[in-house]
Amino acid sequence: MRLKNSRDVEREFELILKIEKDNDTYIVYHDHITDKLYSGKIKNKKLKALSEDELDYVNKVLERISG
């Protein structure tokens, strides 16, 4: 998946999970450069940071998936 990050630089990410809620799209993705997992919000084909409430929501979804 190719997206622009917060610095307006286009990068390739590996999509792990996509969550759609109302009109918002949240993703969990693997960054090949840092070799870590991150979460973010896609808005206008750009990757945005999550607010605390949004991060809590994504974490709750991940907890439910992991059982």
Side-chain angles (χ1 to χ4, degrees):
M1 167 180 258
R2 292 189 71 79
L3 291 171
K4 287 187 179 183
N5 63 15
S6 59
R7 293 180 215 117
D8 213 30
V9 176
E10 192 170 292
R11 297 219 357 236
E12 185 75 28
F13 301 106
E14 179 183 356
L15 181 64
I16 304 297
L17 177 67
K18 182 177 179 181
I19 304 167
E20 293 183 2
K21 178 184 175 193
D22 301 326
N23 292 330
D24 295 323
T25 302
Y26 305 100
I27 62 170
V28 176
Y29 61 94
H30 177 245
D31 185 337
H32 295 284
I33 293 173
T34 62
D35 199 33
K36 293 183 180 180
L37 293 178
Y38 296 99
S39 57
K41 182 178 182 178
I42 299 175
K43 191 164 190 167
N44 299 325
K45 296 189 178 183
K46 288 190 178 181
L47 187 57
K48 303 287 185 181
L50 298 178
S51 69
E52 246 184 85
D53 290 340
E54 291 169 328
L55 184 58
D56 287 342
Y57 172 73
V58 170
N59 284 333
K60 285 180 184 177
V61 170
L62 291 172
E63 285 175 16
R64 287 219 152 181
I65 290 170
S66 66

